[in-house]
Amino acid sequence: MDMDMDMDMKGPPATKKALVAHVLAAAAAALVLIWCVHFRGGLALRSKADDKQLIFNVHPVLMLLGPIVLGAEAILCYRSLPLARGARKKAHLALHAAGLAAGALGLYAVFKFHAESGIPNLYSLHSWVGAAAISLYALQWAAAFLAFFFPGASPPTRRRAAPWHAVAGLLVFVLAVGTAQLGFLEKLTFLQGPPLRLPKYGAEAMLVNFTALVVLLLGVAVVLATVTVDGTRYNTIM
């Protein structure tokens, strides 16, 4: 019998909170694709000298689809997927692995874009927080793999580590959402400055702001779907 007690849940049913998060995740993915494909011209890891923007466009798409959308689905699947705990653990691991891979490729895209465009790396708050977020995401995944999958820690160690793993994972997810907010703001600021001078109330600016809002709401929805609030703890002060 498996006694690791990773999350202390037994076949949880899907919840309304999780459904809201799924809808927001799908909306965020659709919006960022519309922005980068329709407004920014498409995606490419290789492009002509006069259109390096296509390389950059890979970055926001993969960073959103990876650590945020797939990361959200990985967190939610352990809470809401109506399967045995072992199956949920494997789905949780696989989705986070896919999110980490997408994030790594998105990070590669922005470094490639900077190198080919003559732009310095790691000069902004967005880049600093983003580098920390993807590094912590990788460390969190590796530590969980070693502790809960292979070679696997002892059952008492897994029981003690499980709450810390859950809290750390949620904090890394929140950090990724915060990084995305900084990224949307930074990119929109660049677009609204010279030489492009994107209209501040134009369709693209509104789309970017709305996408950032949806991502923020996704972060809130995932936290609310994951954290259990026990009102009985406050009965003594009522």
Side-chain angles (χ1 to χ4, degrees):
M1 181 178 180
D2 184 5
M3 296 295 292
D4 59 14
M5 297 174 61
D6 291 5
M7 294 289 183
D8 192 29
M9 295 182 292
K10 297 180 180 179
T15 65
K16 291 182 180 179
K17 293 178 182 178
L19 180 59
V20 170
H22 292 316
V23 172
L24 289 170
L31 288 170
V32 77
L33 284 169
I34 291 172
W35 175 40
C36 290
V37 174
H38 178 69
F39 286 95
R40 294 286 96 213
L43 313 171
L45 283 176
R46 294 182 180 180
S47 65
K48 298 179 181 179
D50 60 345
D51 200 5
K52 297 299 181 182
Q53 181 65 39
L54 299 184
I55 299 175
F56 174 84
N57 292 346
V58 176
H59 175 70
V61 170
L62 290 184
M63 299 311 289
L64 181 58
L65 293 180
I68 296 179
V69 171
L70 288 175
E73 293 300 325
I75 293 170
L76 294 171
C77 81
Y78 205 97
R79 288 282 181 175
S80 61
L81 204 61
L83 297 174
R85 183 167 57 186
R88 283 183 280 128
K89 284 174 61 177
K90 291 176 181 177
H92 179 75
L93 176 76
L95 284 169
H96 270 314
L100 181 58
L105 185 57
L107 200 62
Y108 165 78
V110 75
F111 275 99
K112 180 180 172 66
F113 167 71
H114 282 190
E116 295 187 11
S117 303
I119 300 173
N121 291 310
L122 299 173
Y123 65 88
S124 67
L125 180 61
H126 167 65
S127 62
W128 294 353
V129 177
I134 197 69
S135 298
L136 290 172
Y137 194 1
L139 288 173
Q140 166 80 351
W141 188 90
F145 181 85
L146 294 173
F148 299 113
F149 286 89
F150 183 82
S154 64
T157 300
R158 292 199 299 269
R159 282 193 291 269
R160 289 193 298 270
W164 294 104
H165 168 68
V167 170
L170 200 56
L171 288 176
V172 170
F173 173 75
V174 170
L175 186 62
V177 171
T179 301
Q181 302 304 305
L182 291 172
F184 285 124
L185 177 61
E186 181 179 290
K187 184 60 177 179
L188 190 56
T189 301
F190 289 156
L191 291 174
Q192 291 174 338
L196 295 179
R197 300 190 183 279
L198 191 74
K200 289 180 170 55
Y201 296 99
E204 184 173 354
M206 293 297 102
L207 176 65
V208 173
N209 284 329
F210 188 70
T211 303
L213 180 60
V214 171
V215 173
L216 181 61
L217 292 175
L218 170 60
V220 173
V222 170
V223 171
L224 291 178
T226 304
V227 175
T228 301
V229 179
D230 184 3
T232 61
R233 296 182 180 182
Y234 305 97
N235 287 343
T236 57
I237 63 173
M238 295 299 290

